[in-house]
């Protein structure tokens, strides 16, 4: 069973993200946890405690109404729903939830609620600060069949093929075509043949198409690919998450997440390595086999 944390503020964008997620996981046993994070401000007349209690009741009732409707409209037992309303900062609250409970995906609707691309929005903040896979749904994306999945990343830096498990699951379940997209920019390190072989072996029986594009920047290369090919899901593995990367424009995922042209799935990389390591000291090896 997949556990999916869906963030909602009852806006059109968040409702659309929930609708997309239900369609995307329509053939998957899944539990949807609807989470509403709201700020609490005292108004000078009522105490902050009173305001917090009133807000909690109001948002809790809206969530309960949503869950009741979802349960009534669900035709099968494949999907279950629950909800929570919490005051505070969105990223901090979500971080607490993903640390307390393992979620396969965190889903958020795409909308411009930041100052600009440099400072980002809720989606860019989540990708940078939480330890979970994040699915970002553009408000103009129509739920439907997933036929074309594209993984755009620098495969020369992919140290753990297990990061691609969600991609393999989605492609297999949806019977979709998978493209591994790499953008060759000036001075880029060439992906070793054995690394590409390991990726193919891990993805088997999925047979991906490997596409290499040359472009002045990764951003321009991805733009060019999306302009000429249908893509139902774009997948990235964020590497550059610091403020310096935002200032220099190195974080391609940050740009994609701010205004995603298509549904975007970012895979959390915990830094583990699945490559075999050489043993330099043989003195501790037990020879009694």
């Amino acid at each position: 069973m997949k556990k999916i944390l869906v963030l909602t503020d009852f806006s059109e964008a968040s409702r659309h993200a929930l609708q997309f997620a239900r369609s995307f996981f329509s053939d998957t046993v899944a539990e949807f946890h609807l989470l509403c994070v709201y700020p609490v401000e005292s108004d000078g007349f009522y105490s902050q405690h009173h305001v917090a209690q009133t807000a909690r009741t109001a948002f809790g009732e809206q969530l309960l109404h949503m869950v009741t409707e979802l349960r009534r409209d669900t035709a099968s037992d494949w999907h279950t729903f629950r909800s929570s309303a919490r005051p505070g900062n969105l990223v901090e609250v979500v971080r607490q939830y993903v640390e307390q409970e393992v979620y396969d995906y965190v889903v958020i609707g795409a909308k411009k609620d930041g100052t600009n691309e440099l400072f980002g929005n809720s989606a860019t903040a989540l990708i940078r600060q939480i330890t979970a896979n994040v699915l970002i749904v553009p408000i103009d994306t129509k739920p439907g069949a997933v036929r074309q999945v594209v993984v755009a990343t620098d495969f020369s830096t992919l140290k753990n093929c297990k990061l691609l498990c969600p991609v393999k699951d989605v492609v297999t379940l949806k019977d979709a075509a998978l493209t591994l997209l790499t953008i060759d920019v000036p001075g880029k390190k060439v992906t070793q043949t054995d690394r590409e072989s390991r990726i193919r072996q891990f993805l088997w029986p999925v047979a991906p198409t490997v596409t290499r594009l040359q472009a002045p920047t990764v951003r321009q290369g991805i733009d060019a690919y999306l302009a000429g090919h249908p893509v139902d899901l774009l997948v990235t593995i964020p590497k550059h998450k610091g403020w310096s990367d935002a200032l220099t424009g190195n974080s391609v995922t940050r740009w994609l997440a701010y205004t995603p042209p298509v549904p975007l799935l970012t895979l959390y990389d915990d830094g583990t390595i699945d490559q075999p390591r050489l043993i330099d000291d043989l003195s501790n090896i037990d020879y009694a086999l």
Side-chain angles (χ1 to χ4, degrees):
M1 181 182 73
K2 300 297 183 185
K3 299 185 69 173
I4 304 160
L5 185 64
V6 182
L7 308 182
T8 181
D9 58 1
F10 309 106
S11 65
E12 182 182 359
S14 65
R15 290 181 181 276
H16 182 75
L18 173 59
Q19 180 185 10
F20 180 89
R22 290 180 64 195
S23 174
F24 188 83
F25 297 104
S26 61
D27 42 15
T28 305
V29 177
E31 178 190 67
F32 293 88
H33 184 179
L34 277 62
L35 174 63
C36 174
V37 181
Y38 56 90
V40 174
E41 299 177 358
S42 58
D43 61 4
F45 183 77
Y46 293 103
S47 67
Q48 187 169 1
H49 176 73
H50 176 81
V51 174
Q53 287 294 104
T54 302
R56 183 179 183 87
T57 300
F59 287 115
E61 289 178 350
Q62 290 186 71
L63 281 173
L64 180 60
H65 179 68
M66 283 184 63
V67 169
T68 300
E69 288 187 337
L70 288 168
R71 289 171 177 166
R72 184 177 62 244
D73 295 341
T74 301
S76 68
D77 295 331
W78 283 34
H79 290 174
T80 57
F81 304 91
R82 60 188 173 106
S83 64
S84 301
R86 284 278 305 276
N89 173 270
L90 176 67
V91 176
E92 291 298 326
V93 173
V94 174
R95 180 190 290 125
Q96 293 173 17
Y97 271 87
V98 299
E99 288 176 351
Q100 295 169 2
E101 194 170 347
V102 177
Y103 292 94
D104 296 283
Y105 301 93
V106 174
V107 179
I108 185 171
K111 61 178 183 178
K112 289 187 177 181
D113 58 359
T115 305
N116 52 41
E117 185 179 329
L118 172 61
F119 290 99
N121 54 18
S122 298
T124 61
L126 288 171
I127 293 170
R128 189 167 64 90
Q129 299 185 50
I130 69 170
T131 57
N133 301 329
V134 180
L135 177 60
I136 306 155
V137 183
I139 195 170
D140 57 351
T141 298
K142 295 181 179 179
V146 177
R147 298 186 178 90
Q148 300 290 336
V149 177
V150 176
V151 180
T153 191
D154 183 356
F155 293 100
S156 66
T157 64
L158 182 60
K159 305 300 183 183
N160 190 346
C161 290
K162 292 181 180 178
L163 292 177
L164 298 176
C165 279
V167 175
K168 185 176 180 180
D169 290 345
V170 168
V171 170
T172 301
L173 189 61
K174 305 291 186 182
D175 193 24
L178 175 62
T179 298
L180 304 181
L181 174 65
T182 183
I183 309 299
D184 291 331
V185 297
K188 177 186 174 182
K189 180 180 178 181
V190 178
T191 304
Q192 299 175 2
T193 305
D194 61 338
R195 190 180 302 277
E196 183 177 315
S197 298
R198 287 178 55 251
I199 295 171
R200 287 184 177 276
Q201 290 173 2
F202 177 81
L203 291 172
W204 190 89
V206 175
T209 298
V210 176
T211 299
R212 306 183 70 97
L213 293 181
Q214 291 186 342
T217 66
V218 174
R219 181 168 177 168
Q220 289 175 300
I222 293 177
D223 268 340
Y225 184 88
L226 293 176
H229 301 81
V231 176
D232 299 306
L233 179 66
L234 180 64
V235 184
T236 66
I237 305 175
K239 299 293 183 184
H240 304 286
K241 298 185 179 183
W243 274 113
S244 61
D245 296 304
L247 291 170
T248 57
N250 288 332
S251 180
V252 175
T253 296
R254 185 181 183 86
W255 150 67
L256 287 169
Y258 185 71
T259 52
V262 296
L264 174 68
L265 173 61
T266 66
L267 303 179
Y268 171 68
D269 184 358
D270 62 3
T272 56
I273 300 175
D274 65 355
Q275 299 179 32
R277 299 182 179 179
L278 295 176
I279 300 176
D280 297 325
D281 183 6
L282 301 180
S283 61
N284 294 324
I285 295 181
D286 185 357
Y287 288 96
L289 301 177

